[in-house]
Amino acid sequence: GEERDKQRRLSKESMDMVPFLCDDLKNHPRDFCKWAYQIVYTRSVETEDGDLRIVPMADYFNHGSDFTEISPYYDEAGNYYAYTTYDVSAG
């Protein structure tokens, strides 16, 4: 209905304002928004206050193991730290 059309126009207008997006992305905002949503919700880390943050290097910490080996931490300034959950030998 009317609300859905309004949302589509808003999405299209917003994407048109981004100068580095190619026309293929701008002309298919639904596909692009679906991709962005999937990236956020499969690659993000939830903070203690419930925010979601994308930390590119942290994304690799959950690959190839059945056990959690990294404990994430954010300081007051929002900086991300990763600590191992066990002692790691040098080298």
Side-chain angles (χ1 to χ4, degrees):
E2 183 179 332
E3 186 64 29
R4 186 178 302 251
D5 290 339
K6 182 179 175 184
Q7 188 64 35
R8 280 192 193 118
R9 281 193 309 278
L10 177 61
S11 177
K12 177 79 170 109
E13 290 168 6
S14 297
M15 290 179 69
D16 284 342
M17 293 172 42
V18 180
F20 57 83
L21 289 180
C22 68
D23 288 338
D24 285 341
L25 292 177
K26 290 180 181 181
N27 293 330
H28 298 92
R30 181 182 173 108
D31 293 341
F32 183 67
C33 290
K34 184 177 176 182
W35 170 83
Y37 178 88
Q38 290 171 341
I39 291 297
V40 169
Y41 284 96
T42 62
R43 301 287 191 259
S44 61
V45 177
E46 187 172 353
T47 62
E48 290 179 5
D49 60 0
D51 284 344
L52 294 177
R53 296 184 184 180
I54 296 176
V55 182
M57 192 61 178
D59 181 44
Y60 288 104
F61 294 151
N62 68 357
H63 290 264
S65 177
D66 292 334
F67 305 100
T68 301
E69 299 171 349
I70 298 293
S71 179
Y73 170 75
Y74 291 93
D75 66 13
E76 292 82 26
N79 297 307
Y80 178 85
Y81 297 89
Y83 295 97
T84 61
T85 57
Y86 61 92
D87 290 336
V88 177
S89 301

